[in-house]
Amino acid sequence: MNLNQSNIDRALGDTPASFLACMQSTLNHCVETRRAPRRLTARTLILAAALVLFCGAAVAMVSAHGLDWWMNNRWLYIQEFNPDLYARIKTLMQKQIEQTDDQPKNNVTVRVQDAAWLADQAFFAIQAVCDNPDYEMHPEFNFDVDGGLSDDPNANEEDNHYMHWLWTDKGFGLPEDVMDNPDKKLLVYYGTEVHIGTPQGEVLMGASDAMKVEGNSVLIGLTFERAAYETGPVKAAILRCTDAKGYLTLCYPFETRLFANNEFGGVVDHGCVTFKVKIR
């Protein structure tokens, strides 16, 4: 996949960050066929090469897909239309994230690349790579976009259909028609929530963005508004899970499922990355 994101031609100026995510979805969809951000998740809001040594080249790929990558490619509107926010993210960006994965290694490796905890917002860049060459991995985010799935499809509408469609560089259609290699098994990646303290803890509310890139990697970008994480239970959980040095413990659960015969199958991989961010 070409990693150069097309510039957004128009924007609405100084609007709330939560609305910008929705605005970017519409604009990106208009300018090119690459899958664009499509939803604010109410439940809340990778990498290596194909089974070669996880060495320096892979490490370089990890660092290239952190928040800097998002703001210079996928979220270019931040630095173009909100330079103050861009400057604050750059100043407060945390690149050395202490983290552990509580699940044994399966088909995927997941890493929180970096984070930025601002007074009013928080940003996280996460990358997952599928290490098994038998699979081609895509984010669940790219299935059935824009409400196209229907029990009663309209034959006159190209995007209206009753079978699951996938968005890739090749376009939007049946998975076997748009996959890089339809001879591989299709692995679907899920992971758009961040919990406070433990996997069962309070969930931060925010927006999610996801895309597939080369190296069988899926990139996840998460943004959170302070208005959402300052609610009573969430605020109490943040205080409880922040240590004396000002580090907040967060958890990022993820899973994969096999897609075949127009159905999302059972869980193939699952895990939870526990990580810490400096909030004071």
Side-chain angles (χ1 to χ4, degrees):
M1 173 181 285
N2 184 355
L3 295 181
N4 292 320
Q5 175 70 17
S6 297
N7 292 340
I8 301 173
D9 295 323
R10 300 180 61 85
L12 297 180
D14 189 13
T15 54
S18 58
F19 179 75
L20 281 173
C22 295
M23 179 185 68
Q24 185 195 18
S25 172
T26 301
L27 293 173
N28 282 355
H29 180 74
C30 290
V31 299
E32 61 176 39
T33 58
R34 178 178 295 154
R35 176 69 183 103
R38 65 180 168 96
R39 62 171 178 245
L40 286 176
T41 169
R43 294 167 43 210
T44 316
L45 289 130
I46 305 186
L47 249 18
L51 235 76
V52 296
L53 292 176
F54 197 73
C55 60
V59 172
M61 183 178 291
V62 172
S63 62
H65 294 94
L67 287 176
D68 281 324
W69 183 91
W70 282 94
M71 291 188 295
N72 289 322
N73 294 274
R74 189 76 160 185
W75 296 346
L76 191 60
Y77 65 92
I78 292 179
Q79 59 176 299
E80 289 188 342
F81 301 108
N82 198 339
D84 177 67
L85 174 60
Y86 176 71
R88 287 190 291 140
I89 294 173
K90 292 285 289 184
T91 299
L92 297 174
M93 194 180 303
Q94 302 173 44
K95 292 183 174 293
Q96 301 299 323
I97 303 295
E98 180 183 338
Q99 58 193 288
T100 58
D101 185 349
D102 65 1
Q103 296 295 327
K105 179 95 163 46
N106 295 307
N107 297 297
V108 295
T109 300
V110 179
R111 179 172 176 80
V112 179
Q113 300 288 66
D114 44 35
W117 190 277
L118 283 58
D120 53 349
Q121 297 178 69
F123 298 83
F124 301 100
I126 299 168
Q127 191 165 1
V129 62
C130 179
D131 303 316
N132 189 332
D134 294 333
Y135 294 118
E136 179 174 316
M137 187 169 70
H138 290 265
E140 180 272 340
F141 196 88
N142 285 2
F143 275 88
D144 305 319
V145 298
D146 304 323
L149 192 66
S150 173
D151 292 331
D152 185 24
N154 185 343
N156 295 321
E157 296 291 336
E158 180 180 356
D159 291 350
N160 204 220
H161 51 278
Y162 67 92
M163 297 184 73
H164 293 291
W165 281 17
L166 174 66
W167 190 293
T168 74
D169 263 358
K170 294 182 179 179
F172 185 41
L174 294 173
E176 58 266 29
D177 294 333
V178 296
M179 290 175 62
D180 294 335
N181 186 349
D183 293 329
K184 291 189 175 184
K185 299 175 184 177
L186 177 52
L187 196 65
V188 184
Y189 181 85
Y190 297 77
T192 58
E193 293 185 350
V194 171
H195 296 248
I196 303 169
T198 70
Q200 294 74 41
E202 296 288 337
V203 179
L204 289 177
M205 302 294 290
S208 62
D209 190 7
M211 66 182 300
K212 174 180 170 59
V213 295
E214 81 287 352
N216 216 8
S217 294
V218 168
L219 310 181
I220 307 293
L222 303 175
T223 66
F224 303 98
E225 297 290 330
R226 180 168 179 170
Y229 59 76
E230 274 199 338
T231 61
V234 173
K235 187 174 182 179
I238 290 175
L239 291 173
R240 185 174 61 253
C241 298
T242 302
D243 64 24
K245 295 181 178 181
Y247 283 90
L248 172 64
T249 297
L250 298 169
C251 296
Y252 170 74
F254 63 89
E255 67 179 33
T256 65
R257 294 177 180 267
L258 192 64
F259 182 89
N261 300 319
N262 197 44
E263 294 184 353
F264 297 94
V267 173
V268 177
D269 308 287
H270 66 94
C272 183
V273 179
T274 299
F275 63 104
K276 292 184 178 183
V277 294
K278 182 95 169 160
I279 69 170
R280 64 167 188 259

